[in-house]
Amino acid sequence: MAFTSTPRGARLARLFVAHCLDSWGHPYDSGVNETLALITAELCANAVRHGWVPGRDFHVRLTTEADGGRLRVEVSDTRAERRPAVTAPADPDAESGRGLLLVTALADDRGVTDRRSGPGKTVWAVLETASGSRSRTLRQAPVAAPCRPADEPVATRYLPEEEQRMATN
């Protein structure tokens, strides 16, 4: 799904992911939902701040394996030359520069690839829902989830009408 490259777009993307996860059986207050929403917020904030190209949106794709054991969020932007690196900020008092460190700490896997549908890059993170090493409220996603599973693209139809209008304005 496309979002405007603004802080508002990043916020709507985070809310969209949280909504999809809730509809897949991971309630808003569960560890899985809170963790993946935070990861999404960090990746979207980076897309807005570092991947912004005038007139271009960023895209978010959320998928799950058929058994619901792993969730994957992908955030794509059109700036190919600015690939993220996970490094601590040079200045320990800096107010930014820790987002990908947070993503690395929270995600079970993460990476960056070339964007599938054109110029740019896709930054992705994977979260295992059945990991014994994390204390989360775990539920398996329902088979017939309102948001698209696995390799189907996420569509705008899963946002309530009011949020769809907000996302396109």
Side-chain angles (χ1 to χ4, degrees):
M1 174 164 187
F3 294 92
T4 58
S5 291
T6 63
R8 182 171 183 244
R11 180 180 63 82
L12 289 173
R14 177 185 53 81
L15 292 172
F16 174 73
V17 166
H19 174 74
C20 285
L21 291 172
D22 181 65
S23 70
W24 287 352
H26 301 284
Y28 289 105
D29 62 350
S30 71
V32 170
N33 195 313
E34 290 174 348
T35 301
L36 203 55
L38 179 57
I39 289 170
T40 301
E42 291 298 334
L43 296 180
C44 292
N46 283 348
V48 168
R49 183 169 183 170
H50 304 292
W52 179 74
V53 173
R56 301 290 178 129
D57 295 334
F58 70 92
H59 294 85
V60 175
R61 184 172 186 242
L62 179 65
T63 59
T64 184
E65 290 181 352
D67 66 357
R70 289 170 51 102
L71 298 164
R72 178 180 172 116
V73 64
E74 300 175 352
V75 178
S76 302
D77 62 58
T78 54
R79 179 159 277 171
E81 70 275 8
R82 296 193 72 177
R83 297 225 174 224
V86 179
T87 58
D91 178 7
D93 295 327
E95 293 183 11
S96 64
R98 293 176 181 82
L100 287 178
L101 293 173
L102 186 60
V103 170
T104 300
L106 293 173
D108 293 302
D109 196 11
R110 64 170 273 316
V112 61
T113 59
D114 291 333
R115 188 173 179 196
R116 285 184 231 156
S117 61
K121 64 186 171 299
T122 297
V123 183
W124 55 269
V126 171
L127 190 64
E128 294 188 22
T129 61
S131 173
S133 64
R134 299 181 191 269
S135 60
R136 297 185 181 127
T137 304
L138 301 177
R139 286 191 187 169
Q140 184 169 333
V143 177
C147 295
R148 303 265 182 198
D151 44 4
E152 295 181 36
V154 176
T156 59
R157 294 292 156 222
Y158 301 117
L159 277 179
E161 288 183 31
E162 181 180 331
E163 289 182 43
Q164 285 182 34
R165 284 193 301 275
M166 290 175 24
T168 57
N169 289 336

